[in-house]
Amino acid sequence: MPRQYKKGVLEAVRWVKKNIDNHPNNGTSTAAMARIAGVSRNALQEVFKAKYGTSIGQYKLNLRMKLAAQHLKTGKSIKETAILLQYSSASSFCNAFRSFHEVSPTDWLKTQKLTNANKQAK
């Protein structure tokens, strides 16, 4: 039987997800979002993971990396993408991208271009 959570915590989780979806580059910490929502950080994290299957931090990272891929595919440079996603530097963006995708942004783009070229050749 699924665990029952307090209505206030469920509302806070929905608010946090909506906030992240609408402002993925916002650097607000989980603790700060919990304070704003009026719930404990631990309760917020526990219920978010139960409801969405991932931690708040991982959800934010997944969203940022999805946006990074979109920016790169549309021709934005690595530096522009880093700025748009509010990384402190292009280097820190590249490190985050490499950790997430297990390949550098440059190599990832090359792979994307090859994949697209192969699809068009068919």
Side-chain angles (χ1 to χ4, degrees), residues 9-108:
V9 177
L10 290 171
E11 289 172 359
V13 166
R14 284 191 290 275
W15 174 81
V16 165
K17 183 179 181 299
K18 184 177 180 180
N19 190 315
I20 294 168
D21 290 342
N22 291 335
H23 308 284
N25 301 329
N26 184 338
T28 306
S29 70
T30 301
M33 287 188 283
R35 275 194 304 277
I36 293 165
V39 297
S40 78
R41 180 181 57 86
N42 289 345
L44 182 65
Q45 288 177 320
E46 177 186 332
V47 178
F48 190 98
K49 187 165 188 169
K51 186 164 176 64
Y52 299 110
T54 188
S55 69
I56 294 170
Q58 190 62 47
Y59 184 81
K60 288 166 78 172
L61 180 61
N62 291 345
L63 189 55
R64 287 178 92 189
M65 289 297 117
K66 182 178 179 181
L67 290 171
Q70 290 172 353
H71 289 310
L72 293 170
K73 281 182 180 179
T74 60
K76 298 266 190 297
S77 70
I78 290 170
K79 186 174 182 177
E80 286 175 304
T81 301
I83 291 168
L84 288 168
L85 296 178
Q86 297 183 351
Y87 278 89
S88 59
S89 67
S91 176
S92 66
F93 165 69
C94 287
N95 288 336
F97 192 95
R98 186 179 297 108
S99 292
F100 187 84
H101 289 285
E102 298 181 349
V103 64
S104 72
T106 303
D107 290 342
W108 181 86

